[in-house]
Amino acid sequence: MVLNRRFHQPPMMHPRRRADISKRNVDTLFQSADFQHGVARRLAGAVQIPTVTYDGMGPVGQDARWEIFYEFSAYLKETFPKLYRALVVETVNEHGLLYSWHGSERELKPLLFMAHSDVVPAGKANSNEWTYPPFSGHYDGEFIWGRGSEDDKSNLIAMLTAVECLLDCDFKPDRTLVIAVGFDEEGGADQSYGARCLAERLIKRYGQNGVEVIFDEGIAGIEQRYGTEFALPATAEKGYVDVAVTVTVPGGHSSTPPDHTAIGFLAQVIARIEGNPFKSQLIRQNPTLTFLRQAALLSKNMPDDLRDAILETHSSKKLLEYMDADRERRAMVRTSTAVDMIQGGDKVNSLPENVTALVNHRIAIQDSVQDVKDHYIQLLAPWAEKWNFNLDAFGERRQAKNIPCRSSAVTEGGTLTLTAQYELESSPVSEWEDPRFRWLASTIKGVFGDNVVVAPELLSGNTDTRYYWNLSPQIYRMSPWRASHDPRGTRMHTVDERMPVKGLMEMVRFYHEFIRTVDEMRV
């Protein structure tokens, strides 16, 4: 690894045309308390509509739980009447929304913003732990509280508000702007009623690589690290696969148990899986490597030994040791393994015949879905042979040899079955040296200050962009606000999710300026 090649931070950039817009909106309107409270109340109203998606929801039109999304669409139309008059608004599969603000230069590829209207459940078991009810949309002048206030209704409200402010200034774009709003991003991995349908519509309309830049949600993108503010747009996502591990053995009465029940055997398998993690690697294509280089070159308080390990090629072992020492860092360089669900046994005096564990994997850039499958086969085939089990691994069956075993536990044999559910390879990596990344970095600096260091990062989760890979090679994922605005840290997907008004206004300003900047740029 050669780590000492410097990525020069681009200069901060402000839109050059229409200085009157900057004066009216950025310098005056956005500083107004009345305007800020108005935007906050818009978000509060959006939070009050419980657009929850659950795993395994049925198709739109068949599952009644989708009906609430009609109310949300009506709320947006009522809240942004000027935008609905000026833009072309399409409904896709009932609840997906596609806003198109057509530019005057049709040969320019469009800018695409993404968001989603659905939220995760708030959980009845912990409802009493919320400071305010999870769908109250309580606004206390500093925070908007409730499920979806951060993930992801804040981005959506900020985008639409930014467009409305530009409409108020009679801004007419050269480049078409598209806002695609999915409605099942938080659903199960096998659901694809929203973003997939939106992506199919856009592919037909603009063609392969027909979009200039795609910008979607991500982490709260401005963070303090090593005493320095970093903006961290993700330029890639890890892959995904769930592996179901099932042990099948003869049942019977619990009064005459074998040495190991099906659950006992499964426990051995789980211990073997957890005890043999995937190998950590930091390859050149991983955006984490670029972030580390930028941190080593530009951060204020990075320890000298870590800085040296990053910048010196012979210190790669030490660098990997540093990454492996923390689970958040480790996730950036390794395929993760999480045993999340287990099923088996239905009565205390009956030996279970079938037990299953579901293991979630977020696949690192250096690995593939097939690598995960191969890892399981290599790891568990010896175990199956030891215990005289048949091995049915991802559709390929290996018969047990039926060799007599010393332990009475396996006299009747068994089967170990491995199946893969929802296979997704890691995403393409958007090139950080591309001029479009510099457009983004320069805009971020213009909004958040020249002292902010912009560096790409890898996203360990998955967003709706998984359906949009064919639309553009430049896809960025980031929620453009300072995480430091909430001293408790971001609370997405947990109790007391909330959005600081300061962060919400940073989002509005970012989208307002990025639309104008990209409108002026040409590749």
Side-chain angles (χ1 to χ4, degrees), residues 92-371:
V92 178
N93 196 18
E94 296 299 318
H95 305 303
L97 296 171
L98 202 58
Y99 301 87
S100 297
W101 194 5
H102 291 299
S104 59
E105 298 184 21
R106 295 301 178 94
E107 69 277 8
L108 294 177
K109 294 181 180 180
L111 167 64
L112 172 60
F113 288 159
M114 296 175 60
H116 63 89
S117 58
D118 60 312
V119 302
V120 297
K124 294 181 180 178
N126 58 14
S127 59
N128 292 332
E129 299 176 26
W130 287 74
T131 302
Y132 304 100
F135 294 104
S136 65
H138 179 81
Y139 174 49
D140 61 8
E142 184 178 6
F143 296 97
I144 304 95
W145 299 73
R147 178 63 80 230
S149 57
E150 180 182 348
D151 184 14
D152 179 41
K153 291 178 178 178
S154 55
N155 273 300
L156 176 56
I157 294 298
M159 290 172 186
L160 300 182
T161 298
V163 170
E164 183 184 66
C165 291
L166 290 171
L167 288 170
D168 284 340
C169 294
D170 198 31
F171 176 78
K172 293 180 172 57
D174 294 340
R175 185 189 301 275
T176 294
L177 169 69
V178 178
I179 302 175
V181 185
F183 59 90
D184 61 351
E185 198 271 351
E186 303 288 10
D190 58 343
Q191 288 183 198
S192 53
Y193 305 124
R196 177 184 59 81
C197 298
L198 289 163
E200 289 172 356
R201 177 77 60 93
L202 292 170
I203 281 285
K204 289 180 181 178
R205 184 166 298 169
Y206 296 110
Q208 185 96 359
N209 294 334
V211 170
E212 197 72 79
V213 175
I214 298 175
F215 190 92
D216 195 14
E217 63 163 336
I219 62 171
I222 314 297
E223 292 187 355
Q224 280 279 344
R225 297 186 183 182
Y226 312 113
T228 305
E229 271 197 322
F230 281 90
L232 301 166
T235 56
E237 294 180 5
K238 298 179 77 175
Y240 184 109
V241 67
D242 292 326
V243 176
V245 182
T246 300
V247 169
T248 304
V249 296
H253 199 282
S254 63
S255 62
T256 56
D259 291 346
H260 302 289
T261 67
I263 293 174
F265 278 127
L266 183 61
Q268 292 183 27
V269 172
I270 291 173
R272 195 172 181 89
I273 291 169
E274 290 192 334
N276 293 271
F278 288 82
K279 182 181 179 182
S280 296
Q281 289 181 269
L282 191 53
I283 63 173
R284 182 175 298 280
Q285 291 84 352
N286 191 334
T288 304
L289 188 61
T290 304
F291 161 72
L292 290 169
R293 179 166 57 241
Q294 291 305 288
L297 291 168
L298 300 173
S299 64
K300 300 173 184 176
N301 297 334
M302 178 177 282
D304 290 339
D305 58 342
L306 175 59
R307 199 184 305 270
D308 291 342
I310 294 170
L311 296 177
E312 295 178 14
T313 58
H314 63 269
S315 299
S316 57
K317 180 180 179 182
K318 187 174 181 179
L319 179 55
L320 279 178
E321 289 175 350
Y322 166 77
M323 298 299 291
D324 277 343
D326 174 87
R327 70 176 186 174
E328 298 288 339
R329 297 194 299 261
R330 183 177 65 200
M332 299 296 102
V333 295
R334 177 192 297 183
T335 294
S336 61
T337 302
V339 183
D340 289 329
M341 297 177 66
I342 192 164
Q343 297 174 334
D346 53 16
K347 204 170 187 304
V348 73
N349 64 348
S350 178
L351 299 175
E353 296 177 339
N354 295 280
V355 296
T356 298
L358 196 61
V359 191
N360 175 249
H361 300 279
R362 305 303 173 111
I363 304 172
I365 285 180
Q366 68 269 15
D367 295 327
S368 66
V369 171
Q370 188 59 51
D371 288 333

Side-chain angles (χ1 to χ4, degrees), residues 52-70 94-95 183 191 193:
V52 178
T53 53
Y54 303 87
D55 291 351
M57 287 179 70
V60 175
Q62 297 181 20
D63 193 323
R65 290 175 292 182
W66 294 117
E67 297 296 309
I68 190 66
F69 286 83
Y70 289 116
E94 296 299 318
H95 305 303
F183 59 90
Q191 288 183 198
Y193 305 124

Side-chain angles (χ1 to χ4, degrees), residues 431-507:
E431 178 54 60
W432 58 269
E433 293 179 304
D434 188 275
R436 289 162 288 190
F437 186 85
R438 290 196 290 275
W439 300 351
L440 173 64
S442 295
T443 303
I444 289 172
K445 284 177 166 289
V447 171
F448 293 95
D450 201 28
N451 291 329
V452 173
V453 177
V454 184
E457 185 154 82
L458 175 68
L459 196 64
S460 58
N462 296 113
T463 68
D464 273 342
T465 57
R466 62 188 181 272
Y467 300 108
Y468 288 69
W469 293 349
N470 291 333
L471 270 169
S472 177
Q474 293 301 308
I475 302 176
Y476 312 125
R477 309 151 184 91
M478 172 180 139
S479 293
W481 64 284
R482 283 184 169 91
S484 59
H485 287 317
D486 191 343
R488 296 171 58 179
T490 62
R491 307 281 300 174
M492 65 170 63
H493 288 215
T494 190
V495 170
D496 274 353
E497 180 177 351
R498 63 184 189 176
M499 185 70 206
V501 177
K502 289 181 179 179
L504 181 62
M505 287 308 305
E506 285 176 336
M507 286 182 167

